[in-house]
Amino acid sequence: MLKPFPATHPFNMFVVIIPNMNRYILIMTVALVALATASRAQNFPSPQKPHFLDVGALAGYNLDTKGPVFGGGIGYEYRPYQRWGFVANLNYDFTKSDESSTWHVDIPGVAGNKADYWGQEMYSASLGARHYFGRFFVGASFGMAHERNWVKMDDGVRSAANTRYGFYQHYYAGYQIPLKNNSYLEFVGSASGAGALKTTVSARYKFGF
């Protein structure tokens, strides 16, 4: 709901109260606004090479399914100003959750099979922006994801995959280490997904051209 400031407030603005917001979205949004506000409100000269490509690997944990996540991706960044960049990314990640204590029965009266693990593959494509504050940066991207879920049984048989498309969101903060020839090593902490958000850390190599 909207809560007005007191009538004596010089700007007569409103505060938007958002109950039960996902804590990852809230943290990343607050960080982005804080750093953008702290930065000087002027455009800096564009870098010598404003186009960048990057590739990297990620690992993390799915808080919803309580299982490890790993994967990787490639990305492109157009950075016309020192403090702002616009990004496009293609990513893949795999989540694996232990199901060894679960039994699956397909036919009544017939003994079921013991499960081994539940797996999920996700392919995503997204567009977004990032803001730099020195060597630190924060950003967000949005796009489309394709998910495939299945259960692998203890006898090696894998169930039929369930697939779906969903809205993909990615919130992150990171740090750049400059290397030679307009290249960088980036370390990034993220919350991303097309449903429950997964927390991951990644290392990426970026080079300008």
Side-chain angles (χ1 to χ4, degrees):
M1 63 178 177
L2 297 179
K3 180 180 178 182
F5 276 88
T8 57
H9 194 281
F11 298 104
N12 194 27
M13 296 175 61
F14 294 89
V15 174
V16 179
I17 300 176
I18 308 177
N20 301 322
M21 176 180 281
N22 186 291
R23 64 178 180 274
Y24 301 112
I25 300 177
L26 180 61
I27 291 172
M28 292 298 178
T29 302
V30 170
L32 177 60
V33 173
L35 290 179
T37 302
S39 303
R40 290 174 292 176
Q42 67 183 66
N43 288 332
F44 289 77
S46 60
Q48 184 178 2
K49 295 180 179 180
H51 302 280
F52 295 87
L53 289 177
D54 64 77
V55 61
L58 64 86
Y61 192 73
N62 189 325
L63 294 173
D64 183 51
T65 62
K66 307 217 176 343
V69 182
F70 53 89
I74 59 174
Y76 165 76
E77 179 181 7
Y78 173 56
R79 190 174 174 183
Y81 304 109
Q82 190 68 25
R83 292 189 181 272
W84 286 98
F86 303 94
V87 299
N89 292 284
L90 297 173
N91 289 305
Y92 166 84
D93 67 64
F94 175 71
T95 300
K96 182 178 180 180
S97 298
D98 181 29
E99 293 285 331
S100 58
S101 61
T102 303
W103 287 78
H104 291 262
V105 178
D106 296 324
I107 304 175
V110 178
N113 293 324
K114 189 175 182 180
D116 183 11
Y117 69 84
W118 173 88
Q120 180 192 76
E121 289 182 320
M122 185 175 71
Y123 301 86
S124 63
S126 61
L127 298 173
R130 57 166 58 179
H131 179 78
Y132 290 89
F133 188 69
R135 293 184 182 179
F136 291 94
F137 57 87
V138 294
S141 297
F142 305 95
M144 182 68 67
H146 174 65
E147 290 182 347
R148 298 177 67 250
N149 308 298
W150 69 88
V151 175
K152 182 178 179 295
M153 302 302 177
D154 195 44
D155 59 4
V157 176
R158 198 168 81 170
S159 68
N162 295 318
T163 64
R164 79 176 186 95
Y165 290 90
F167 174 69
Y168 177 77
Q169 49 189 327
H170 181 201
Y171 308 93
Y172 58 91
Y175 182 78
Q176 276 189 344
I177 298 176
L179 304 175
K180 295 181 179 179
N181 301 320
N182 201 36
S183 60
Y184 300 87
L185 183 62
E186 294 185 343
F187 296 96
V188 186
S190 304
S192 62
L197 298 184
K198 310 163 190 176
T199 57
T200 60
V201 293
S202 63
R204 306 180 73 92
Y205 173 72
K206 171 175 286 188
F207 60 93
F209 63 96

